[in-house]
Every structure is written in structure tokens, then in C-alpha cells.
Amino acid sequence: MKRILVTGGAGFVGSHLCERLLNDGNEVICLDNYFTGKKQKIIHLLDNPYFELVRHDITQPFYIEVDEIYNLACPASPVQYQYNPIKTIKTSVMGAVNMLGLAKRIKAKILQASTSEVYGVPDIHPQNEEYWGHVNPIGVRSCYDEGKRCAESLFVNYHVQNDVLIKIIRIFNTYGPKMEPDDGRVVSNFIMQALQGKDITIFGDGQQTRSFQYVSDLIEGMIRMMKTDDDFIGPVNIGNPGEFTMLELASEIIDITGSKSKIVYLPLPQDDPTQRQPDITLAKEKLDGWEPTIPLREGLTKTIAYFERLQKEDEL
């Protein structure tokens, strides 16, 4: 049994990770300040004697003895991270410093949940780990993009200078149950609009693409990354290379829900990438043949069922 710290553990991805780590026979300490995370996402775990919940903000130092750290703490959708951009960049940068300092002191292995946003508006397609990115350092998304880029730099330099055991993954668009209905992500936006019979709002002409990864595929990739040899630090893309236009996504959601929603078009936001698709060649090679297994329609069906349950609970 390992003792594992998950920062941001009450968030969308973090709550799924905590559950999986417990199911794998580990002791889990979930750390969250509830800026975007919610206790409801992990409340079913509180009766487990090997699960511990701590309210804490990683911009402040934290002291504990653990074997591994998964650093997930940071608002991750544009609506969330643009709400308080200074808080967002402090969480990425100061949070990385504090968690790396902890890992250095206790000799723990630490994984950084970085993001495909480090590639910005990409000049190459699909994006591989050798690509340095094309990011606007002063744009509306820079608090998140540059915060994560700086965190990657901190991780690499703590590894080189202080021999900290690190792992870096770059997460591409992920969806699934426990997403927030109002988080501003395209999947949750489209699902809620369809379930409520509202117009589905597509920004731009609907031909911009994303690659959608179901959350269980991401969790499997994260756990495999943590198990790799110490000399492989990443970064490595974790995402689904299946590429869909916004129009295709909206049409699929309308079909599954049976909604009468109409599609309307709005101007494209600043610095919104027109293409985003991971090259997962490195992940397949280094993560024991890892690749996504959940097709888009199957994942959307499970996610829609979750949002339908939320709606019914709100109506009670």
C-alpha cells in the first residue's frame, strides 16, 4: 500500500483519480481548497478508512509524509481560470514550488498535470511533445497557459538541480461524469443546452476541432505514467487522437439526447485554437501500450446520463 497525495482531489479529474487509487489498494490524502472542487464529488469516499480529506490551498506550504504526489490543483476551464487570473497563475507557479519542495524534502515521486494549452494556437498538427508551442503570453488565456508552462519548467529544474523524481503529462480535452454543468467546457455547455432545449451555441463556424478523451482513459494514463522508470520524466501527451469538429460534437449530443435544440453561431473567442489533436506515439511507447478505449458516443452517453441525474436532483 502506497500513501498518495492528490492535490485538487475534489475536482473533476481529481475525484476520479482518488477513487481509482483507493480501488487499487492505496491510502489517499485528498487536498483541495474548493475554489473549483466540491466535497460532493468525493463525499462517498469519506467512509473509507484509507481516505483522508484536507482543506488547503497549495499556494501555501503543506507538510506531510507520502510516497507519491499527483499535482492536479488548478482551475482548468476558461470560465474558471479567467474568473480570477492572478489566483490561477499563483496556483500553477507557487503551487508547483510548494509541492516540489515537499517532494524534495520527503523524497516522494511527483506528477504534474500539465495541459495541451501549453501548445497554444498550434502551428503543427497534430501536436507532439517536441513542439514548443505558440502561446500569447499576455492574452486572456495566458494565466493558465503560461502558468502551466512555468510549472513544467520548475518541475524539470527541480529534477535536474535537486534530483526530484518527476513525471509530466499534458492532458488534452477530457470529459465525463462529475464535470460541472456551468464550467464553460464545450461538452458540458452543449449537453446542458440540449437537455434544457436551448439553442446550442457554437463559436466560430463550427469547423474548429477538438479531441475528446473520456476521464477513465486519462486516469489510466496518469497511473501508468507514475509507474514508468525514473529516467522517463516526460512530458507525454495524454489524450484521444480522434478529431471532431464542434458541429459534429453538437450533432452527436442532439442525437443522443433527442433534443429539439437549434444550433446558433457566435464569434470565436480570443486565442481559441482552431485545431487541437494529440500525437500519442510517445504515450503508446512508454506507457505500456496505453491508448484511449472509450469511443466518443459511449462516453457522451454516460456523461449525459450523469447530467440528467443532476437535473432531476435539482428539481426535487
Side-chain angles (χ1 to χ4, degrees):
M1 177 182 286
K2 290 180 181 175
R3 188 167 159 83
I4 300 174
L5 174 67
V6 179
T7 73
F12 162 46
V13 173
S15 58
H16 283 278
L17 178 62
C18 287
E19 192 167 338
R20 169 65 187 273
L21 291 171
L22 285 169
N23 289 339
D24 287 350
N26 300 291
E27 183 177 354
V28 175
I29 298 92
C30 168
L31 201 70
D32 209 294
N33 67 350
Y34 306 127
F35 182 62
T36 57
K38 288 189 175 180
K39 191 178 289 185
Q40 294 94 313
K41 288 181 169 53
I42 43 82
I43 200 163
H44 63 293
L45 303 176
L46 292 177
D47 290 336
N48 190 317
Y50 297 110
F51 181 74
E52 185 176 346
L53 176 61
V54 180
R55 184 169 190 155
H56 184 82
D57 190 320
I58 65 165
T59 60
Q60 303 298 319
F62 184 68
Y63 303 96
I64 197 170
E65 295 288 332
V66 293
D67 303 301
E68 295 177 351
I69 303 168
Y70 287 83
N71 187 38
L72 277 62
C74 188
S77 74
V79 167
Q80 293 170 339
Y81 64 64
Q82 290 172 23
Y83 173 75
N84 189 339
I86 294 172
K87 177 70 173 176
T88 296
I89 200 164
K90 286 172 70 176
T91 301
S92 283
V93 177
M94 296 170 64
V97 170
N98 287 328
M99 290 301 107
L100 286 162
L102 173 63
K104 176 187 172 185
R105 285 191 298 274
I106 63 177
K107 293 182 168 35
K109 188 188 301 185
I110 181 168
L111 180 144
Q112 168 66 3
S114 189
T115 171
S116 62
E117 296 294 332
V118 301
Y119 298 125
V121 182
D123 292 319
I124 67 166
H125 188 75
Q127 294 82 54
N128 62 41
E129 294 84 355
E130 300 301 315
Y131 178 55
W132 291 354
H134 179 214
V135 176
N136 179 356
I138 57 171
V140 295
R141 303 168 75 103
S142 63
C143 59
Y144 185 68
D145 303 358
E146 295 291 16
K148 291 290 191 175
R149 286 163 69 92
C150 184
E152 286 194 17
S153 178
L154 282 163
F155 266 69
V156 169
N157 284 291
Y158 263 80
H159 172 69
V160 172
Q161 187 172 328
N162 297 318
D163 296 321
V164 175
L165 294 176
I166 67 162
K167 306 289 179 183
I168 301 171
I169 61 168
R170 291 174 176 164
I171 300 172
F172 281 69
N173 277 46
T174 303
Y175 71 99
K178 299 188 186 178
M179 295 177 77
E180 287 297 307
D182 58 352
D183 68 3
R185 288 181 171 100
V186 64
V187 172
S188 47
N189 278 355
F190 285 4
I191 290 175
M192 291 307 298
Q193 288 167 346
L195 290 177
Q196 294 168 358
K198 297 179 178 178
D199 290 339
I200 290 185
T201 51
I202 288 183
F203 295 95
D205 61 5
Q207 295 307 308
Q208 67 269 35
T209 65
R210 291 293 184 276
S211 302
F212 300 103
Q213 166 180 237
Y214 191 68
V215 64
S216 62
D217 287 329
L218 167 61
I219 299 303
E220 180 64 28
M222 296 174 80
I223 288 172
R224 290 195 192 191
M225 180 61 175
M226 189 64 100
K227 291 179 179 177
T228 55
D229 293 339
D230 291 348
D231 59 354
F232 178 65
I233 65 172
V236 60
N237 292 335
I238 305 292
N240 192 322
E243 189 178 14
F244 297 87
T245 67
M246 296 298 96
L247 197 53
E248 288 172 329
L249 176 67
S251 299
E252 191 82 354
I253 288 171
I254 288 172
D255 183 54
I256 296 170
T257 58
S259 175
K260 303 298 183 185
S261 296
K262 301 291 189 292
I263 294 173
V264 297
Y265 297 88
L266 298 175
L268 198 65
Q270 180 190 353
D271 299 331
D272 192 58
T274 57
Q275 285 186 306
R276 185 60 63 71
Q277 181 189 23
D279 181 332
I280 61 168
T281 304
L282 185 63
K284 287 181 179 180
E285 176 191 344
K286 296 292 189 178
L287 307 186
D288 194 25
W290 174 89
E291 61 182 324
T293 61
I294 307 296
L296 181 62
R297 189 174 181 90
E298 179 184 340
L300 286 176
T301 300
K302 293 178 180 179
T303 308
I304 289 166
Y306 169 77
F307 281 120
E308 286 175 331
R309 286 197 300 274
L310 285 186
Q311 271 196 318
K312 289 176 182 175
E313 289 171 5
D314 289 342
E315 291 167 1
L316 295 176

